[in-house]
Amino acid sequence: MVYNFAALPGADRTNAMLRRLSKPVRVVTGWQLAATAALALAAGAMSGWHGAVSAAAGGLISICAGLVAAVIAARNGAKSAGGVLVGALAAEAVKIVLAVILLLVVIATYDRA
C-alpha cells in the first residue's frame, strides 16, 4: 500500500470523513472490547466479582474516551498540517479530560461494600 498526499474523497463533508474512519475505529474498538473482556475475566478469577467489575469499568472508560476522541479528530476540517496537528491535540486533550472525569465518576459511585 502506497501513501499519497491527495485529499480524501469527500473530505469536505463530515459524514464522508466519518465513513472513511469507521472501519479502523471499529477494528480498534473490537480489539479493545476483546482485551477488556479477557482482562475482566482474568481479574474476576484472581480477585472475584469486584476485580472483574473494576477491570470492565476501566476498559469501558478507555473505549468511550477513545471513541469521543476519534469523532472529534474526524470532524476537524483542517486544511493544513498545522490544522491537523491542532485537531489531533484537541482530540487527545478531550480524551484525557473525559477519561479523568469518567474515572472520578466510577470512583465516586462504585460501592465495594
Side-chain angles (χ1 to χ4, degrees):
M1 183 159 109
V2 177
Y3 180 78
N4 62 31
F5 292 98
L8 294 172
D12 56 334
R13 295 184 310 256
T14 302
N15 61 352
M17 183 65 84
L18 288 174
R19 253 186 278 124
R20 182 85 168 155
L21 289 176
S22 65
K23 184 174 181 182
V25 170
R26 280 195 317 255
V27 169
V28 169
T29 303
W31 279 105
Q32 286 179 325
L33 284 169
T36 297
L39 292 172
L41 288 172
M46 290 189 300
S47 301
W49 175 252
H50 291 294
V53 170
S54 178
L60 291 174
I61 287 169
S62 177
I63 291 168
C64 290
L67 287 174
V68 170
V71 168
I72 290 172
R75 294 183 138 225
N76 182 20
K79 306 258 189 259
S80 67
V84 171
L85 180 62
V86 168
L89 291 174
E92 195 63 29
V94 169
K95 179 180 176 180
I96 291 169
V97 168
L98 181 60
V100 169
I101 290 170
L102 290 173
L103 282 169
L104 292 174
V105 167
V106 169
I107 289 170
T109 59
Y110 185 70
D111 184 21
R112 193 186 151 114

